[in-house]
Amino acid sequence: QVQLVESGGGLVQPGGSLRLSCAASGSTFAINYMAWYRQAPGKQRELVAGITSGGVTNYADSVKGRFTISRDNANVYLQMGSLKPEDTAVYLCNVVRLANGFWGQGTQVTVSS
């Protein structure tokens, strides 16, 4: 089992920045993939960014050039810049370990003036 705890969400003005963190604990060895998803009210959960154990990253088109995902051992981060109101959502951390997926509880990000 892997436990995930996200932090770093909050209220930010359009154009601002936030850094999300996700700390994994438990059986963190052999984690293959770490990612951030988001879910806005009334919308489907969508992949924002992911990173493999080898450091290969992938991003949703809507965040390319604005968000950066990184990882450090059992932690994964999402640096978000040039935030837009449409980035408002609950951001959830996800890891894949030996073909099993685990989710955090999520952290709210609200972009509003």
Side-chain angles (χ1 to χ4, degrees):
Q1 293 287 347
V2 178
Q3 295 79 43
L4 302 171
V5 177
E6 301 101 332
S7 61
L11 173 64
V12 63
Q13 292 187 340
S17 300
L18 278 177
R19 179 179 168 88
L20 304 183
S21 299
C22 174
S25 61
S27 298
T28 59
F29 64 94
I31 288 178
N32 312 99
Y33 185 71
M34 305 182 83
W36 288 96
Y37 285 73
R38 65 186 180 189
Q39 187 162 20
K43 294 188 177 181
Q44 287 191 332
R45 188 172 295 183
E46 64 172 350
L47 175 67
V48 177
I51 185 167
T52 70
S53 56
V56 177
T57 59
N58 61 292
Y59 295 92
D61 287 344
S62 59
V63 306
K64 282 181 181 176
R66 300 189 297 122
F67 292 10
T68 302
I69 189 170
S70 61
R71 63 185 290 178
D72 174 11
N73 295 323
N75 304 310
V76 63
Y77 309 97
L78 187 67
Q79 180 67 49
M80 305 186 294
S82 301
L83 283 162
K84 306 174 182 180
E86 50 264 44
D87 294 317
T88 295
V90 174
Y91 284 71
L92 302 108
C93 180
N94 170 265
V95 304
V96 176
R97 176 184 178 274
L98 301 177
N100 295 306
F102 300 90
W103 292 92
Q105 293 296 310
T107 184
Q108 177 70 45
V109 172
T110 302
V111 184
S112 175
S113 55

